[in-house]
Amino acid sequence: MSFVTTSDGVEIFYKDWGPKDARPIVFHHGWPLSADDWDAQMLFFLSKGFRVIAHDRRGHGRSTQVSDGHDMDHYAADTSAVVEHLDLKNAIHVGHSTGGGQVARYVAKYGQPQGRVAKAVLISSVPPLMVQTDRSPDGAPIAVLNGLRAGLAANRAQFFLDVASGPFYGFNRPGAEVSEGTIRNWWRQGMMGSARAHYEGIKAFSETDQTDDLKAITVPVLVLQGDDDQVVPYKNAAVLQDRLLRDSTLQIYPGYPHGMHTTHADVINADILAFITR
């Protein structure tokens, strides 16, 4: 397995598939998953001639289960460590949910200043701010987020099973085509990681104000989200991202869930391909 060691001694696991001289696409996974969540995308874009890279966020998957650094600043710095180690240039960064926040912070703080990023894609992503505050009155009440923390602390295994079999993929909707394998794979990835990282990660993805990150991004960004996202409501996420970004393309999918890159991979992959090749 391949790892890069960060400046604070954390080993970050990464996958790097395809020709080293091909254009790179870097994938950033959601909470509480791993690089494995991008299997459908990595195989698809690999078949189209791209170099595909994905890493496990610190405390997640196969990366070090470190006690500290579970915040967007460290997530972005860890991404930069992987990108610099592989010397990626002219890259496209694709993030889902928490990974979308990671992309926004990385691009604004590292990718653009270093001249290493060409485009970005935000899928069902958490910016600009998920929690309800005076600046985001339509955000999620803190009581809801505290409920997530309580559920995780009480019985993480059951909590993860409930999330995967319910709102994440919209499997709780009447008539939904439920995939038991998808549920088990989500649970498997979650349980590989650290309960500490997952607990602290709730604050990172919900209470980090990324308004300035979005405003600072000048590269073209594709913003994708479903209007039946039960985890990150699209009106407080994709719609606001599109308003704050300087060069964005917004696509809202009727009836699609939070994990639409898995449930509707054929549609999402085709739309990303069209964006990055135009």
Side-chain angles (χ1 to χ4, degrees):
M1 292 196 292
S2 300
F3 294 87
V4 60
T5 302
T6 67
S7 59
D8 60 342
V10 179
E11 289 191 321
I12 301 295
F13 167 82
Y14 67 90
K15 305 177 185 182
D16 180 9
W17 302 344
K20 298 302 182 282
D21 59 348
R23 191 172 188 188
I25 306 177
V26 185
F27 295 95
H28 306 248
H29 65 80
W31 177 96
L33 304 173
S34 74
D36 295 352
D37 195 46
W38 293 110
D39 284 352
Q41 284 69 44
M42 292 186 70
L43 291 173
F44 174 82
F45 286 100
L46 183 66
S47 74
K48 299 298 180 182
F50 291 90
R51 178 183 180 183
V52 292
I53 300 100
H55 67 278
D56 292 351
R57 190 172 299 121
R58 62 170 56 205
H60 295 62
R62 289 138 294 203
S63 292
T64 306
Q65 294 199 8
V66 64
S67 177
D68 302 315
H70 305 296
D71 54 69
M72 284 297 175
D73 282 336
H74 280 87
Y75 296 166
D78 293 348
T79 297
S80 184
V82 174
V83 170
E84 292 178 57
H85 174 71
L86 298 176
D87 194 25
L88 303 180
K89 299 174 182 176
N90 196 34
I92 299 103
H93 286 262
V94 181
H96 173 252
S97 196
T98 301
Q102 184 172 312
V103 166
R105 181 61 53 89
Y106 165 76
V107 171
K109 190 171 182 179
Y110 298 97
Q112 284 184 171
Q114 295 174 351
R116 291 183 178 276
V117 60
K119 292 183 178 182
V121 181
L122 303 180
I123 305 174
S124 309
S125 296
V126 295
L129 180 60
M130 189 173 172
V131 70
Q132 186 180 67
T133 67
D134 291 340
R135 294 185 63 179
S136 59
D138 297 324
I142 191 67
V144 172
L145 300 165
N146 287 338
L148 298 181
R149 281 183 270 261
L152 188 152
N155 188 337
R156 183 169 64 130
Q158 184 61 52
F159 175 67
F160 282 179
L161 185 61
D162 293 342
V163 172
S165 59
F168 198 92
Y169 295 112
F171 291 157
N172 56 343
R173 294 305 198 201
E177 186 176 336
V178 178
S179 168
E180 186 65 28
T182 297
I183 294 170
R184 292 186 184 186
N185 190 42
W186 198 99
W187 186 89
R188 174 192 67 84
Q189 291 179 70
M191 295 305 293
M192 285 171 64
S194 158
R196 166 78 173 176
H198 297 158
Y199 189 93
E200 296 298 323
I202 294 172
K203 181 179 179 67
F205 73 64
S206 65
E207 298 180 45
T208 304
D209 190 338
Q210 298 196 258
T211 301
D212 290 342
D213 290 331
L214 295 173
K215 288 181 177 180
I217 295 172
T218 58
V219 299
V221 182
L222 178 63
V223 177
L224 308 177
Q225 194 160 11
D227 70 1
D228 194 31
D229 190 326
Q230 300 173 66
V231 179
V232 180
Y234 78 99
K235 291 182 180 179
N236 203 43
V239 172
L240 296 184
Q241 292 160 23
D242 183 54
R243 292 176 186 171
L244 291 166
L245 290 160
R246 300 190 198 183
D247 183 0
S248 62
T249 302
L250 175 65
Q251 174 68 53
I252 302 296
Y253 301 88
Y256 282 22
H258 187 64
M260 64 183 186
H261 62 299
T262 297
T263 58
H264 299 80
D266 55 341
V267 175
I268 302 304
N269 290 351
D271 287 348
I272 294 173
L273 179 63
F275 170 72
I276 64 180
T277 55
R278 73 185 185 199

